[in-house]
Amino acid sequence: MTSKLPGTPEELSDLPYAELLQPHEGGGLALEVRYDTVHFDRLDFEDDDAAGAAFLECAITDSSFTGVSLRRARLNDVWLRGDRFVGTRFAESDWLDVTADSCVLAGVEAFGAVLRRVVFRRCKFDSVNLRAAELYDVVFEDCVLWDADLGGAKLDGVTFPGTAVERIRLGRATLKRADLRGATRLDLADGYESLRGAVISTGQLLELAPALAATIGITVKDG
């Protein structure tokens, strides 16, 4: 399933600030630096400490971030494509109007992060920590969301069209206007009680019924 969501750029040239972008030439990333209209292309960053950095109207393409700290970083109007984030720390970061296409996030720490109007398209998430994060109007489109921890998180207006949700943790999460009907698979590791406030399909309800019954103490026996 692949759909083009309105208002999300498909190509670098679609960005309203594309002509203003300048290549990154400063070597590694640094603490609390403001990166404005910068294009990071085919770069490898490893163990850099860029806590508190701000990325404003930037593009990041075909780059890798391994063990990089972006704690409390700010991403505003940022476009990512083909990037790899391994062991990257996005804890307490702030994302606004970000599009990530065909990216891989593995072992990423993003607890306490705030994401607003963010689109993840064709991305793979593996063991991502989003505990106590806040997600507003976030779209996971055609993604694989494996073993993500959303314990205590707030999901408001979050959708999952074409996304396989596998072994997700939702304990103590709060869902509002969260639409799971488009998910190709819905498998929870815990937190079934947190589905209150979510919208699911009849088929998904039937698949989840045994676990939901067990959660509220219903014993199902035939005969």
Side-chain angles (χ1 to χ4, degrees):
M1 174 181 177
T2 299
S3 62
K4 292 185 178 181
L5 298 172
T8 58
E10 291 284 328
E11 302 294 339
L12 185 67
S13 58
D14 295 334
L15 300 175
Y17 50 86
E19 295 183 359
L20 301 176
L21 290 170
Q22 298 295 320
H24 175 65
E25 298 176 346
L29 301 173
L31 283 164
E32 300 183 350
V33 171
R34 176 188 174 106
Y35 299 99
D36 198 338
T37 55
V38 177
H39 185 193
F40 302 85
D41 183 46
R42 301 179 187 278
L43 300 174
D44 296 324
F45 301 103
E46 187 170 355
D47 298 327
D48 291 355
D49 189 350
F55 300 83
L56 311 176
E57 295 190 333
C58 291
I60 307 174
T61 53
D62 299 313
S63 296
S64 67
F65 297 75
T66 304
V68 174
S69 176
L70 289 162
R71 190 182 184 97
R72 298 193 181 93
R74 182 157 61 100
L75 290 77
N76 193 335
D77 282 307
V78 175
W79 189 78
L80 307 98
R81 170 172 280 179
D83 303 306
R84 294 181 58 85
F85 299 91
V86 179
T88 308
R89 297 183 291 283
F90 279 110
E92 300 174 307
S93 57
D94 188 278
W95 302 47
L96 175 64
D97 293 324
V98 175
T99 298
D101 191 337
S102 305
C103 296
V104 174
L105 298 88
V108 168
E109 294 181 0
F111 55 85
V114 178
L115 286 70
R116 291 166 290 173
R117 300 197 300 269
V118 176
V119 175
F120 294 103
R121 181 187 295 121
R122 296 182 289 267
C123 294
K124 181 178 180 181
F125 296 78
D126 189 346
S127 304
V128 174
N129 182 351
L130 284 160
R131 293 185 66 83
E134 298 181 20
L135 286 69
Y136 302 97
D137 299 316
V138 174
V139 179
F140 295 93
E141 181 188 12
D142 296 341
C143 295
V144 175
L145 199 56
W146 169 261
D147 197 29
D149 190 348
L150 285 155
K154 180 176 181 179
L155 283 69
D156 189 341
V158 180
T159 58
F160 301 82
T163 289
V165 179
E166 309 250 5
R167 304 296 298 165
I168 192 171
R169 298 186 182 91
L170 285 176
R172 298 181 303 282
T174 303
L175 276 61
K176 179 181 178 182
R177 298 184 302 117
D179 195 338
L180 289 154
R181 289 174 296 176
T184 58
R185 178 166 171 75
L186 181 55
D187 176 33
L188 274 62
D190 62 36
Y192 290 92
E193 69 284 353
S194 295
L195 288 173
R196 182 183 295 110
V199 180
I200 62 175
S201 68
T202 301
Q204 290 170 332
L205 175 60
L206 293 174
E207 290 182 4
L208 295 173
L212 288 170
T215 297
I216 60 176
I218 295 176
T219 301
V220 180
K221 290 184 178 180
D222 296 320

